[in-house]
Amino acid sequence: MSGPPDYDHPDVVLCPGGPMLIRGAKTVQDADGRVHASVRPVVALCRCTRSARLPFCDGTHKLLPVDDRP
Ligand code: FES
């Protein structure tokens, strides 16, 4: 994963116990169908469902017991 974002082929990285990183996404659609514009080259999407900023990760996963992390 280097160089400018390729918006036609975003890169996805699953962080153990943490978020899903997506590089090169223009938009993110949440579970309710709302579309969020991505203004950053890399977005971190919550996989633990505890974030106060869903669908984005806010770091709350770090406070969870290890067994409750994604
Ligand atoms: S994965 Fe980070 S808050 Fe859910």
Side-chain angles (χ1 to χ4, degrees):
M1 288 193 345
S2 62
D6 179 351
Y7 290 108
D8 291 330
H9 300 93
D11 294 317
V12 177
V13 176
L14 297 180
C15 299
M20 173 189 303
L21 302 180
I22 301 181
R23 185 170 195 259
K26 292 181 187 173
T27 60
V28 173
Q29 184 173 345
D30 65 23
D32 296 324
R34 290 179 297 228
V35 176
H36 305 263
S38 172
V39 295
R40 298 180 179 183
V42 178
V43 293
L45 300 180
C46 178
R47 293 194 305 139
C48 74
T49 72
R50 307 298 207 311
S51 172
R53 296 182 52 241
L54 288 171
F56 303 103
C57 171
D58 68 356
T60 298
H61 64 270
K62 297 175 190 171
L63 305 175
L64 299 175
V66 172
D67 289 345
D68 290 346
R69 295 180 188 177

